[in-house]
Amino acid sequence: MNVEAALIPHYAYLKAHLSPARLQHSLGVMQVMADLAPIYGLDPAAARLAGLAHDAGKELTDAQMLEIARRMQLPLEHPSDRHPLYLHGPCSAYVAEHAMGITDPLIVEAIAHHSYMLDGPARSPVFCWCLRFADLLEPGRDWDDMRSRTQPLIYGGKMTEAAL
């Protein structure tokens, strides 16, 4: 998959910090975000960058994720709040902002929310949901049953139905 010139520095960072399989997944999510951008009125460049960077912190150790969560002052009240499945979104947002230099608040917020909805309203719930759906629909996933049920809704502009 070709990476456009504006994304090359971000791609280079991810190539150096993620496994080849995780990088390939991120490229797939980037492509799904490119597909969803015109359907949901997202800025195409922002959508692609969010898809590419969404798992920037996914392969951090549990201890690294917890340290980032403390820096972000995330409330870690419930044991599930500490689970990497949920923490990788906010931690990836932190890495995207602090290590990759991504400063667009909508991109950072969508990355944080793609695995963990956090407290308070999102600036762009649509952007956040698109990234969450793109992560689920990425072509490398072997979730055929889920994809067959949700992809027509998501690509048909029926985000609420897909979420339900």
mmCIF file of all heavy atoms in Angstrom, residues 72-100:
data_model
loop_
_atom_site.group_PDB
_atom_site.id
_atom_site.type_symbol
_atom_site.label_atom_id
_atom_site.label_comp_id
_atom_site.label_asym_id
_atom_site.label_seq_id
_atom_site.Cartn_x
_atom_site.Cartn_y
_atom_site.Cartn_z
ATOM 1 N N MET A 72 -1.702 11.014 32.072
ATOM 2 C CA MET A 72 -2.930 11.580 31.499
ATOM 3 C C MET A 72 -4.013 11.786 32.554
ATOM 4 O O MET A 72 -5.070 12.320 32.252
ATOM 5 C CB MET A 72 -3.472 10.646 30.399
ATOM 6 C CG MET A 72 -2.567 10.517 29.202
ATOM 7 S SD MET A 72 -3.200 9.315 28.002
ATOM 8 C CE MET A 72 -4.585 10.229 27.314
ATOM 9 N N GLN A 73 -3.727 11.354 33.754
ATOM 10 C CA GLN A 73 -4.673 11.448 34.876
ATOM 11 C C GLN A 73 -5.989 10.744 34.564
ATOM 12 O O GLN A 73 -7.074 11.234 34.899
ATOM 13 C CB GLN A 73 -4.891 12.901 35.288
ATOM 14 C CG GLN A 73 -3.613 13.575 35.718
ATOM 15 C CD GLN A 73 -3.795 15.022 36.108
ATOM 16 O OE1 GLN A 73 -4.788 15.665 35.792
ATOM 17 N NE2 GLN A 73 -2.813 15.536 36.823
ATOM 18 N N LEU A 74 -5.880 9.573 33.928
ATOM 19 C CA LEU A 74 -7.069 8.777 33.663
ATOM 20 C C LEU A 74 -7.543 8.144 34.967
ATOM 21 O O LEU A 74 -6.729 7.651 35.745
ATOM 22 C CB LEU A 74 -6.759 7.670 32.653
ATOM 23 C CG LEU A 74 -6.437 8.088 31.238
ATOM 24 C CD1 LEU A 74 -6.126 6.859 30.387
ATOM 25 C CD2 LEU A 74 -7.587 8.869 30.627
ATOM 26 N N PRO A 75 -8.835 8.139 35.211
ATOM 27 C CA PRO A 75 -9.338 7.456 36.402
ATOM 28 C C PRO A 75 -9.264 5.943 36.185
ATOM 29 O O PRO A 75 -9.916 5.404 35.300
ATOM 30 C CB PRO A 75 -10.788 7.937 36.500
ATOM 31 C CG PRO A 75 -11.158 8.299 35.108
ATOM 32 C CD PRO A 75 -9.893 8.755 34.434
ATOM 33 N N LEU A 76 -8.429 5.299 36.947
ATOM 34 C CA LEU A 76 -8.262 3.852 36.822
ATOM 35 C C LEU A 76 -8.929 3.176 38.022
ATOM 36 O O LEU A 76 -8.297 2.482 38.804
ATOM 37 C CB LEU A 76 -6.775 3.502 36.740
ATOM 38 C CG LEU A 76 -6.005 4.152 35.598
ATOM 39 C CD1 LEU A 76 -4.525 3.810 35.663
ATOM 40 C CD2 LEU A 76 -6.585 3.745 34.256
ATOM 41 N N GLU A 77 -10.221 3.406 38.153
ATOM 42 C CA GLU A 77 -10.959 2.951 39.328
ATOM 43 C C GLU A 77 -11.351 1.487 39.266
ATOM 44 O O GLU A 77 -11.410 0.813 40.277
ATOM 45 C CB GLU A 77 -12.189 3.836 39.513
ATOM 46 C CG GLU A 77 -11.806 5.283 39.775
ATOM 47 C CD GLU A 77 -12.965 6.246 39.632
ATOM 48 O OE1 GLU A 77 -14.108 5.788 39.409
ATOM 49 O OE2 GLU A 77 -12.729 7.458 39.729
ATOM 50 N N HIS A 78 -11.662 0.997 38.109
ATOM 51 C CA HIS A 78 -12.103 -0.383 37.942
ATOM 52 C C HIS A 78 -10.959 -1.190 37.341
ATOM 53 O O HIS A 78 -10.203 -0.678 36.523
ATOM 54 C CB HIS A 78 -13.333 -0.414 37.024
ATOM 55 C CG HIS A 78 -14.014 -1.733 36.994
ATOM 56 N ND1 HIS A 78 -13.624 -2.740 36.150
ATOM 57 C CD2 HIS A 78 -15.050 -2.211 37.713
ATOM 58 C CE1 HIS A 78 -14.397 -3.797 36.342
ATOM 59 N NE2 HIS A 78 -15.273 -3.500 37.281
ATOM 60 N N PRO A 79 -10.820 -2.462 37.709
ATOM 61 C CA PRO A 79 -9.734 -3.263 37.130
ATOM 62 C C PRO A 79 -9.725 -3.269 35.601
ATOM 63 O O PRO A 79 -8.657 -3.281 34.992
ATOM 64 C CB PRO A 79 -9.985 -4.669 37.682
ATOM 65 C CG PRO A 79 -10.702 -4.434 38.968
ATOM 66 C CD PRO A 79 -11.553 -3.205 38.748
ATOM 67 N N SER A 80 -10.892 -3.213 34.962
ATOM 68 C CA SER A 80 -10.905 -3.204 33.495
ATOM 69 C C SER A 80 -10.299 -1.926 32.926
ATOM 70 O O SER A 80 -9.822 -1.914 31.791
ATOM 71 C CB SER A 80 -12.328 -3.393 32.960
ATOM 72 O OG SER A 80 -13.132 -2.292 33.283
ATOM 73 N N ASP A 81 -10.303 -0.842 33.722
ATOM 74 C CA ASP A 81 -9.692 0.410 33.274
ATOM 75 C C ASP A 81 -8.191 0.253 33.044
ATOM 76 O O ASP A 81 -7.587 1.047 32.330
ATOM 77 C CB ASP A 81 -9.905 1.526 34.295
ATOM 78 C CG ASP A 81 -11.348 1.940 34.451
ATOM 79 O OD1 ASP A 81 -12.139 1.707 33.519
ATOM 80 O OD2 ASP A 81 -11.676 2.495 35.511
ATOM 81 N N ARG A 82 -7.596 -0.742 33.675
ATOM 82 C CA ARG A 82 -6.155 -0.956 33.572
ATOM 83 C C ARG A 82 -5.785 -1.964 32.483
ATOM 84 O O ARG A 82 -4.615 -2.229 32.250
ATOM 85 C CB ARG A 82 -5.620 -1.454 34.917
ATOM 86 C CG ARG A 82 -5.743 -0.447 36.021
ATOM 87 C CD ARG A 82 -5.315 -1.070 37.376
ATOM 88 N NE ARG A 82 -5.654 -0.212 38.476
ATOM 89 C CZ ARG A 82 -6.850 -0.125 39.034
ATOM 90 N NH1 ARG A 82 -7.842 -0.855 38.588
ATOM 91 N NH2 ARG A 82 -7.075 0.691 40.044
ATOM 92 N N HIS A 83 -6.784 -2.547 31.850
ATOM 93 C CA HIS A 83 -6.535 -3.590 30.860
ATOM 94 C C HIS A 83 -6.002 -2.961 29.567
ATOM 95 O O HIS A 83 -6.563 -1.980 29.074
ATOM 96 C CB HIS A 83 -7.823 -4.365 30.583
ATOM 97 C CG HIS A 83 -7.577 -5.649 29.863
ATOM 98 N ND1 HIS A 83 -7.305 -5.693 28.512
ATOM 99 C CD2 HIS A 83 -7.533 -6.921 30.299
ATOM 100 C CE1 HIS A 83 -7.120 -6.938 28.141
ATOM 101 N NE2 HIS A 83 -7.257 -7.707 29.216
ATOM 102 N N PRO A 84 -4.940 -3.545 28.984
ATOM 103 C CA PRO A 84 -4.368 -2.996 27.754
ATOM 104 C C PRO A 84 -5.368 -2.885 26.597
ATOM 105 O O PRO A 84 -5.234 -1.996 25.752
ATOM 106 C CB PRO A 84 -3.247 -3.976 27.403
ATOM 107 C CG PRO A 84 -2.885 -4.618 28.693
ATOM 108 C CD PRO A 84 -4.159 -4.673 29.507
ATOM 109 N N LEU A 85 -6.375 -3.746 26.560
ATOM 110 C CA LEU A 85 -7.382 -3.662 25.506
ATOM 111 C C LEU A 85 -8.049 -2.286 25.504
ATOM 112 O O LEU A 85 -8.307 -1.706 24.453
ATOM 113 C CB LEU A 85 -8.437 -4.761 25.692
ATOM 114 C CG LEU A 85 -9.591 -4.746 24.689
ATOM 115 C CD1 LEU A 85 -9.086 -5.056 23.288
ATOM 116 C CD2 LEU A 85 -10.661 -5.736 25.111
ATOM 117 N N TYR A 86 -8.318 -1.752 26.683
ATOM 118 C CA TYR A 86 -8.956 -0.445 26.797
ATOM 119 C C TYR A 86 -7.934 0.682 26.830
ATOM 120 O O TYR A 86 -8.154 1.734 26.251
ATOM 121 C CB TYR A 86 -9.840 -0.390 28.047
ATOM 122 C CG TYR A 86 -10.887 -1.454 28.032
ATOM 123 C CD1 TYR A 86 -10.821 -2.538 28.887
ATOM 124 C CD2 TYR A 86 -11.936 -1.405 27.118
ATOM 125 C CE1 TYR A 86 -11.785 -3.540 28.851
ATOM 126 C CE2 TYR A 86 -12.891 -2.400 27.073
ATOM 127 C CZ TYR A 86 -12.807 -3.461 27.943
ATOM 128 O OH TYR A 86 -13.746 -4.443 27.889
ATOM 129 N N LEU A 87 -6.833 0.467 27.519
ATOM 130 C CA LEU A 87 -5.827 1.520 27.678
ATOM 131 C C LEU A 87 -5.074 1.854 26.393
ATOM 132 O O LEU A 87 -4.539 2.953 26.268
ATOM 133 C CB LEU A 87 -4.806 1.123 28.742
ATOM 134 C CG LEU A 87 -5.136 1.445 30.176
ATOM 135 C CD1 LEU A 87 -3.964 1.069 31.076
ATOM 136 C CD2 LEU A 87 -5.514 2.886 30.364
ATOM 137 N N HIS A 88 -5.011 0.939 25.447
ATOM 138 C CA HIS A 88 -4.178 1.209 24.273
ATOM 139 C C HIS A 88 -4.680 2.394 23.466
ATOM 140 O O HIS A 88 -3.887 3.059 22.808
ATOM 141 C CB HIS A 88 -3.990 -0.047 23.412
ATOM 142 C CG HIS A 88 -5.038 -0.278 22.375
ATOM 143 N ND1 HIS A 88 -6.169 -1.028 22.630
ATOM 144 C CD2 HIS A 88 -5.131 0.134 21.084
ATOM 145 C CE1 HIS A 88 -6.907 -1.074 21.530
ATOM 146 N NE2 HIS A 88 -6.302 -0.371 20.575
ATOM 147 N N GLY A 89 -5.962 2.714 23.514
ATOM 148 C CA GLY A 89 -6.468 3.887 22.800
ATOM 149 C C GLY A 89 -5.913 5.184 23.368
ATOM 150 O O GLY A 89 -5.267 5.963 22.648
ATOM 151 N N PRO A 90 -6.152 5.448 24.662
ATOM 152 C CA PRO A 90 -5.574 6.664 25.244
ATOM 153 C C PRO A 90 -4.042 6.697 25.162
ATOM 154 O O PRO A 90 -3.462 7.746 24.901
ATOM 155 C CB PRO A 90 -6.044 6.626 26.698
ATOM 156 C CG PRO A 90 -7.264 5.785 26.687
ATOM 157 C CD PRO A 90 -7.046 4.773 25.597
ATOM 158 N N CYS A 91 -3.410 5.544 25.348
ATOM 159 C CA CYS A 91 -1.947 5.515 25.267
ATOM 160 C C CYS A 91 -1.471 5.771 23.841
ATOM 161 O O CYS A 91 -0.463 6.454 23.630
ATOM 162 C CB CYS A 91 -1.418 4.189 25.798
ATOM 163 S SG CYS A 91 -1.642 4.020 27.586
ATOM 164 N N SER A 92 -2.189 5.255 22.867
ATOM 165 C CA SER A 92 -1.832 5.530 21.475
ATOM 166 C C SER A 92 -2.016 7.009 21.150
ATOM 167 O O SER A 92 -1.215 7.591 20.405
ATOM 168 C CB SER A 92 -2.683 4.672 20.535
ATOM 169 O OG SER A 92 -2.335 3.306 20.672
ATOM 170 N N ALA A 93 -3.055 7.628 21.715
ATOM 171 C CA ALA A 93 -3.259 9.066 21.519
ATOM 172 C C ALA A 93 -2.090 9.846 22.117
ATOM 173 O O ALA A 93 -1.602 10.818 21.510
ATOM 174 C CB ALA A 93 -4.574 9.505 22.156
ATOM 175 N N TYR A 94 -1.639 9.436 23.282
ATOM 176 C CA TYR A 94 -0.507 10.088 23.944
ATOM 177 C C TYR A 94 0.751 9.958 23.066
ATOM 178 O O TYR A 94 1.466 10.938 22.849
ATOM 179 C CB TYR A 94 -0.288 9.458 25.322
ATOM 180 C CG TYR A 94 0.780 10.131 26.129
ATOM 181 C CD1 TYR A 94 0.464 11.170 27.001
ATOM 182 C CD2 TYR A 94 2.110 9.736 26.040
ATOM 183 C CE1 TYR A 94 1.445 11.791 27.754
ATOM 184 C CE2 TYR A 94 3.091 10.346 26.786
ATOM 185 C CZ TYR A 94 2.753 11.377 27.644
ATOM 186 O OH TYR A 94 3.741 11.987 28.383
ATOM 187 N N VAL A 95 1.012 8.761 22.563
ATOM 188 C CA VAL A 95 2.177 8.537 21.701
ATOM 189 C C VAL A 95 2.041 9.361 20.418
ATOM 190 O O VAL A 95 3.003 10.002 19.975
ATOM 191 C CB VAL A 95 2.348 7.038 21.382
ATOM 192 C CG1 VAL A 95 3.387 6.818 20.288
ATOM 193 C CG2 VAL A 95 2.724 6.261 22.644
ATOM 194 N N ALA A 96 0.841 9.358 19.833
ATOM 195 C CA ALA A 96 0.622 10.124 18.600
ATOM 196 C C ALA A 96 0.942 11.601 18.816
ATOM 197 O O ALA A 96 1.592 12.234 17.985
ATOM 198 C CB ALA A 96 -0.815 9.952 18.118
ATOM 199 N N GLU A 97 0.504 12.119 19.947
ATOM 200 C CA GLU A 97 0.720 13.542 20.224
ATOM 201 C C GLU A 97 2.160 13.838 20.643
ATOM 202 O O GLU A 97 2.788 14.750 20.112
ATOM 203 C CB GLU A 97 -0.252 14.004 21.307
ATOM 204 C CG GLU A 97 -0.187 15.483 21.577
ATOM 205 C CD GLU A 97 -1.272 15.958 22.542
ATOM 206 O OE1 GLU A 97 -1.968 15.126 23.152
ATOM 207 O OE2 GLU A 97 -1.394 17.179 22.680
ATOM 208 N N HIS A 98 2.670 13.074 21.590
ATOM 209 C CA HIS A 98 3.967 13.408 22.187
ATOM 210 C C HIS A 98 5.180 12.854 21.447
ATOM 211 O O HIS A 98 6.253 13.449 21.518
ATOM 212 C CB HIS A 98 3.984 12.969 23.650
ATOM 213 C CG HIS A 98 3.037 13.760 24.494
ATOM 214 N ND1 HIS A 98 1.734 13.369 24.697
ATOM 215 C CD2 HIS A 98 3.173 14.935 25.126
ATOM 216 C CE1 HIS A 98 1.110 14.257 25.444
ATOM 217 N NE2 HIS A 98 1.965 15.223 25.717
ATOM 218 N N ALA A 99 5.027 11.724 20.766
ATOM 219 C CA ALA A 99 6.179 11.150 20.061
ATOM 220 C C ALA A 99 6.103 11.367 18.553
ATOM 221 O O ALA A 99 7.131 11.492 17.900
ATOM 222 C CB ALA A 99 6.281 9.651 20.351
ATOM 223 N N MET A 100 4.879 11.423 18.025
ATOM 224 C CA MET A 100 4.717 11.558 16.578
ATOM 225 C C MET A 100 4.397 12.982 16.149
ATOM 226 O O MET A 100 4.405 13.285 14.966
ATOM 227 C CB MET A 100 3.620 10.609 16.085
ATOM 228 C CG MET A 100 3.937 9.140 16.333
ATOM 229 S SD MET A 100 2.549 8.047 15.904
ATOM 230 C CE MET A 100 2.528 8.222 14.117
#
